[in-house]
Amino acid sequence: MPLIVRDAEPDDENSLTELMYEYIVGFYQKPRPADGNIHQLIQTLLEKQLGIQFVAELDGKLVGFATLYFAFSTMKADKITIMNDLYVMEPFRGTEVESELFLECQGFSKDQGYAYMSWITAPENKRAQHFFEKMGGVQGDWVNYSIS
């Protein structure tokens, strides 16, 4: 069965929840969010008002996902997308699964008239940085911060 990259659907909630936990807890080693919080986030993204999720499906199984959030840029005085997540299971990293999820996000952003798509990755995630550069991404001039 060929690779399918598509919008997430309500029936994906359980599989998507598992992938998101693998991403958050397994890959980034962050605390596990409450199930209710993950489910609420998925439901919010299914509404496609504040963002959207795409999934990669292979042989009927979800093997990756990407999340775009919708925002604005004062500098551009226009709407933008922020690719907050691009995650594929270990056996599929460096394959078309990863590339097709990225291209789906990029295509959506262009097709829907967003000024640009931005994203960040952890400084130690050199593999991801190499992938993003291969896909045409360039590091910006801004330094990102966050606070809890």
Side-chain angles (χ1 to χ4, degrees):
M1 185 175 247
L3 172 67
I4 299 169
V5 176
R6 58 176 174 74
D7 296 9
E9 300 171 352
D11 288 345
D12 296 325
E13 185 173 9
N14 290 335
S15 296
L16 191 48
T17 297
E18 289 177 29
L19 274 176
M20 290 173 75
Y21 280 134
E22 188 177 311
Y23 168 69
I24 296 164
V25 180
F27 186 77
Y28 277 111
Q29 300 180 345
K30 299 295 181 188
R32 180 184 170 99
D35 288 349
N37 290 4
I38 290 288
H39 294 161
Q40 182 59 51
L41 176 57
I42 292 169
Q43 290 304 314
T44 297
L45 293 168
L46 287 171
E47 294 170 5
K48 301 178 185 174
Q49 298 298 308
L50 301 174
I52 187 170
Q53 277 188 311
F54 300 101
V55 295
E57 182 180 344
L58 200 56
D59 297 325
K61 179 181 172 154
L62 297 189
V63 297
F65 74 96
T67 309
L68 286 178
Y69 290 104
F70 308 145
F72 291 88
S73 166
T74 303
M75 299 293 183
K76 293 279 186 183
D78 206 350
K79 61 184 184 174
I80 64 168
T81 58
I82 301 167
M83 185 175 62
N84 205 66
D85 314 302
L86 174 62
Y87 178 75
V88 297
M89 297 170 72
E90 179 65 37
F92 304 101
R93 294 186 190 144
T95 71
E96 69 173 324
V97 174
E98 193 172 50
S99 299
E100 291 300 318
L101 273 169
F102 180 90
L103 292 171
E104 187 72 20
C105 291
Q106 183 182 32
F108 175 90
S109 299
K110 285 182 179 181
D111 293 347
Q112 298 300 313
Y114 288 90
Y116 64 86
M117 178 178 83
S118 69
W119 63 92
I120 61 172
T121 191
E124 66 274 3
N125 194 344
K126 300 297 184 194
R127 195 209 58 77
Q129 292 170 36
H130 176 72
F131 168 75
F132 291 135
E133 289 165 5
K134 180 180 88 173
M135 298 303 291
V138 293
Q139 288 190 12
D141 298 329
W142 304 96
V143 177
N144 290 296
Y145 291 88
S146 66
I147 193 167
S148 297

